[in-house]
Amino acid sequence: MRVIVEPDRDEVGRRAAQFVAELVRRRPTCVLGLATGGTVLGTYAELIRMHREEGLDFSRVVSFNLDEYVGLGPTHPQSYRHFMQQNFFDHINIDVRNTHVPDGRALDFEAHCEQYEKHIREEGGIDLQILGIGGDGHIAFNEPGSSLGSRTRLKTLTEETVRDNARFFDNEDEVPRLAITMGVGTILESRRCLLIACGESKAKAIRETIEGPVTAQITASALQLHREVVAILDEEAARLLERREYYRQVEHAQTLMRSGQMRPLSPTR
Ligand code: GLP
């Protein structure tokens, strides 16, 4: 896993947006996997700025969101569809028909989840999956104990997640207890993952994700099995990482290589 530590939340947003923008420019028809939550707001804000000021073009981009609360319709202010419209889609030139968020009011959830997976496959799979992380180390809504091979399905939220997410609702009782979520297996199939974390409250989960064992108790740790994950963290979220100095050296070497000041060793003839 490549680990990038930035000084603060704003820099994290900018850095993550650069990865997305680079892909969108190189492959205008790319498929993005998108996340909700406070952490990704900076990334979306920077992408909106790039769209407005630099003409970053989303017109042919396709997107799939990770999850949605069961019971909340698209216009409910706390639904993830609403979050995406308000914080991203309404401010860029993406075609709303190309944006996909699970339907929290599907009549047949099993069929809907299967269809969601099929749709991702039909679009050629996810090129870049943006991920936040829960305080308990979950990705999307894959709570501790989720199978590391899981697919899109219904999931019961833990008390910790309900408490964490209650800040967006009037009170804790209003937080849905169920969600539709892509599975860990679904996420692992994306070509590249961008894990974003900010703040002290994520430090323990980040340490366990990056330097702990792979375990279904911290579903984000399954990302260690993925071939291309970039973790972008602020200083606070990175605070408990033991190998921080090494990650810094790796980034420094990468910068030197990119600028031509250092070359990778050529194979001996
Ligand atoms: C929810 C979402 C996750 C997100 C997490 C963290 O549980 N399902 O996808 O990563 O919240 O949210 P925040 O960035 O607000 O801390």
Side-chain angles (χ1 to χ4, degrees):
M1 202 181 295
R2 182 174 165 195
V3 180
I4 300 174
V5 182
E6 295 287 354
D8 56 39
R9 198 174 268 270
D10 288 349
E11 288 300 326
V12 167
R14 270 195 281 276
R15 193 68 186 268
Q18 281 166 11
F19 277 92
V20 180
E22 186 272 324
L23 172 65
V24 171
R25 286 197 195 98
R26 186 165 43 85
R27 217 171 151 226
T29 57
C30 66
V31 180
L32 298 179
L34 300 177
T36 52
T39 312
V40 288
L41 284 175
T43 306
Y44 295 150
E46 176 64 5
L47 287 169
I48 292 167
R49 190 200 62 75
M50 287 171 157
H51 166 68
R52 287 187 180 149
E53 294 175 16
E54 298 165 16
L56 186 62
D57 181 15
F58 291 89
S59 60
R60 291 192 292 156
V61 168
V62 173
S63 75
F64 287 91
N65 261 77
L66 286 168
D67 43 17
E68 179 61 283
Y69 288 116
V70 165
L72 304 194
T75 56
H76 189 288
Q78 267 72 45
S79 73
Y80 283 171
R81 163 57 81 179
H82 189 259
F83 176 100
M84 291 309 298
Q85 294 298 141
Q86 289 273 307
N87 295 299
F88 196 31
F89 298 153
D90 286 350
H91 310 283
I92 55 171
N93 66 333
I94 199 164
D95 182 341
V96 75
R97 288 167 303 180
N98 289 339
T99 68
H100 308 282
V101 181
D103 180 0
R105 293 198 303 185
L107 292 177
D108 180 344
F109 282 112
E110 206 171 313
H112 180 64
C113 292
E114 253 175 54
Q115 186 57 35
Y116 203 69
E117 291 269 338
K118 188 161 166 263
H119 207 149
I120 294 173
R121 281 197 300 277
E122 283 167 357
E123 292 289 352
I126 292 170
D127 292 306
L128 178 66
Q129 176 65 60
I130 297 177
L131 296 163
I133 187 168
D136 59 4
H138 71 234
I139 42 175
F141 269 133
N142 291 288
E143 297 286 33
S146 295
S147 156
L148 300 187
S150 52
R151 315 299 311 187
T152 303
R153 67 205 184 295
L154 284 188
K155 194 73 201 166
T156 305
L157 307 187
T158 62
E159 281 306 314
E160 181 177 350
T161 298
V162 169
R163 257 196 323 273
D164 283 351
N165 291 356
R167 66 188 194 277
F168 299 110
F169 293 79
D170 287 339
N171 62 64
E172 213 173 293
D173 294 338
E174 282 184 19
V175 185
R177 268 38 184 184
L178 282 177
I180 303 183
T181 179
M182 277 189 206
V184 180
T186 321
I187 293 167
L188 290 180
E189 273 171 18
S190 53
R191 289 183 191 93
R192 191 184 218 191
C193 292
L194 217 49
L195 175 67
I196 309 175
C198 297
E200 172 70 36
S201 63
K202 303 294 171 72
K204 185 166 171 286
I206 282 297
R207 158 91 196 274
E208 289 170 327
T209 295
I210 297 176
E211 295 179 343
V214 174
T215 167
Q217 299 312 312
I218 306 284
T219 52
S221 69
L223 294 172
Q224 292 178 31
L225 301 170
H226 191 282
R227 65 190 160 174
E228 207 182 332
V229 179
V230 182
I232 307 180
L233 318 169
D234 71 357
E235 292 281 353
E236 290 180 358
R239 199 175 62 83
L240 299 177
L241 290 175
E242 280 183 5
R243 307 184 71 217
R244 272 185 68 175
E245 181 49 28
Y246 174 70
Y247 308 136
R248 201 193 56 75
Q249 287 167 8
V250 171
E251 283 312 300
H252 184 60
Q254 294 248 355
T255 311
L256 292 180
M257 273 193 264
R258 269 196 301 274
S259 67
Q261 292 178 58
M262 184 171 121
R263 296 193 188 288
L265 292 178
S266 45
T268 40
R269 274 185 256 168

